[in-house]
Amino acid sequence: MADNSGKIPLFVQVEAVLRDKIVKGQLGQGEQLPTLNELSAEFRVSQITIRTALANLKAERLISGKRGKGVFVAQQVPVRKHLVFTGDLQSFMEEWEKFKVKPLGVDEKKIRETRIPRHIGDFFGMDGQEPVCVIRRVRFIDGIPVSFFENFFRPEIGRQLTLRELSKLPVKRILETKLGLQVGDNETYLESVPAPPDVAGVLKAEVFAPLFLVQARLWDSSGEPLEIVNIFMRSDFFKYKIQVQRFARRVPADGSLQENF
C-alpha cells in the first residue's frame, strides 16, 4: 500500500481498510484473516505496521486472536447505523438542529492562524493579520460526538453571539432574530480529509482518520460575505446520497437525513 497522502500513517490506512471490510461484511463474522505475511504482502507494509493495525482492531473488539490458530473476525460485529444526507446546505443544516449540540468556544484569531487562512481572507476581503471570530461546536448522536462545526464571522458579528445562545438556538436563527441578518446564497463543497489532531480529539477519532468535510460559504440577502462554515463529520456515521431520476417523477426538493441500516 503506497502512502499517497504523505500524512496518514500506514497502520491507520491498513486499519481503516480492514475495519471497512469487517463492518460491511466483506470479511464475515468468525472468518479467519490472512496471516501476517499475507497481509504484509497485500498492503506492501511491514509486519510491525500490520500488528499495530490489528491491535487497534482488537481494542475495538472487531477481531480476536486464537493462540496457534490465527486472527478471526469477531462473532458479533456491531452493526453501525449511517445517517444518509442529501439536498442543499440549508436543508442539511436544518436537519442537524435536531441533534444535541455543545458549544466549545467563541474566540478571535488572526486570519493567518486559522485552519483555512487563504479562503477566509479572500472571502471576507481581509489580510492575514486581521482578526476573525471563530465559533466551535460539536454535535452528538446518542451521546457520541459525530460532527465538529467551525463558523467564521467578521468580529463585529461574532462578538454578538454567546455560548448560551449557541447551546439553545441554531446560528441562522440567532442571526435573523438578534442581528436582523438574512442568509442568502451559499456555495457548498464536500471532500474527504484526514482528521486534524484537535478535531480528532473532539470527535474521539484516530488522528488522520478520514473525515467528511463540508465547507460552505454564505452571503447575506444583500450579497455581502456573511460566514464560512467547516463541518467535519465522522465518515463511519455518514453517507452522502445522490439520486438521479431517469424518468419524470416528482421528488421532494428538500434535503434530509435518513437512517440507513
Side-chain angles (χ1 to χ4, degrees):
M1 169 179 285
D3 184 6
N4 296 323
S5 70
K7 297 180 181 179
I8 304 177
L10 288 173
F11 76 88
V12 174
Q13 297 181 50
V14 173
E15 180 185 334
V17 171
L18 292 176
R19 182 189 295 107
D20 188 63
K21 287 185 176 182
I22 293 170
V23 172
K24 290 181 177 177
Q26 289 175 271
L27 291 171
Q29 297 183 5
E31 182 177 341
Q32 185 172 6
L33 269 64
T35 66
L36 281 176
N37 284 336
E38 291 169 336
L39 288 172
S40 179
E42 176 184 349
F43 289 101
R44 289 179 284 175
V45 297
S46 70
Q47 289 193 15
I48 293 176
T49 297
I50 298 296
R51 289 181 187 277
T52 303
L54 294 180
N56 290 337
L57 293 174
K58 285 181 181 179
E60 295 181 39
R61 299 182 179 178
L62 292 176
I63 61 174
S64 62
K66 297 181 182 180
R67 185 177 295 274
K69 293 185 177 181
V71 180
F72 297 79
V73 177
Q75 292 291 343
Q76 297 293 328
V77 175
V79 178
R80 178 166 287 168
K81 296 179 181 179
H82 281 79
L83 289 176
V84 181
F85 62 96
T86 184
D88 62 21
L89 175 69
Q90 192 55 52
S91 300
F92 172 60
M93 296 293 286
E94 289 172 359
E95 288 290 330
W96 262 119
E97 305 304 338
K98 299 177 182 178
F99 302 107
K100 180 182 176 182
V101 63
K102 178 182 178 180
L104 302 179
V106 179
D107 308 299
E108 286 189 19
K109 291 184 177 181
K110 292 181 179 179
I111 287 180
R112 63 179 176 81
E113 298 171 343
T114 63
R115 201 183 305 278
I116 48 172
R118 182 175 300 171
H119 293 301
I120 292 177
D122 291 347
F123 181 71
F124 289 117
M126 301 158 66
D127 64 37
Q129 297 298 324
E130 292 186 82
V132 64
C133 186
V134 185
I135 296 171
R136 294 174 291 109
R137 295 170 297 155
V138 59
R139 286 198 177 274
F140 298 80
I141 295 178
D142 296 330
I144 301 173
V146 297
S147 64
F148 175 77
F149 285 64
E150 289 178 321
N151 302 68
F152 299 90
F153 292 97
R154 289 181 179 275
E156 60 268 23
I157 294 177
R159 289 168 186 161
Q160 300 184 64
L161 307 180
T162 67
L163 288 177
R164 183 173 181 178
E165 292 171 331
L166 292 166
S167 66
K168 296 180 178 180
L169 298 172
V171 171
K172 180 175 179 289
R173 192 179 306 172
I174 299 173
L175 294 175
E176 291 176 345
T177 59
K178 182 177 181 179
L179 306 183
L181 294 170
Q182 295 292 324
V183 177
D185 295 336
N186 71 75
E187 292 179 352
T188 308
Y189 303 87
L190 175 65
E191 62 180 312
S192 176
V193 297
D198 60 326
V199 177
V202 171
L203 296 182
K204 301 186 184 303
E206 292 280 354
V207 176
F208 303 129
L211 299 178
F212 280 128
L213 169 60
V214 177
Q215 190 175 102
R217 302 179 183 187
L218 295 88
W219 289 262
D220 63 23
S221 56
S222 67
E224 290 297 315
L226 176 61
E227 173 187 13
I228 286 183
V229 185
N230 283 339
I231 309 173
F232 293 90
M233 303 184 296
R234 286 178 51 171
S235 58
D236 52 344
F237 277 87
F238 295 92
K239 292 182 178 179
Y240 184 67
K241 177 182 177 182
I242 299 175
Q243 189 166 353
V244 178
Q245 300 297 321
R246 297 185 62 188
F247 304 99
R249 182 160 65 91
R250 186 171 182 80
V251 179
D254 62 316
S256 62
L257 284 171
Q258 310 162 33
E259 283 192 326
N260 178 41
F261 297 87

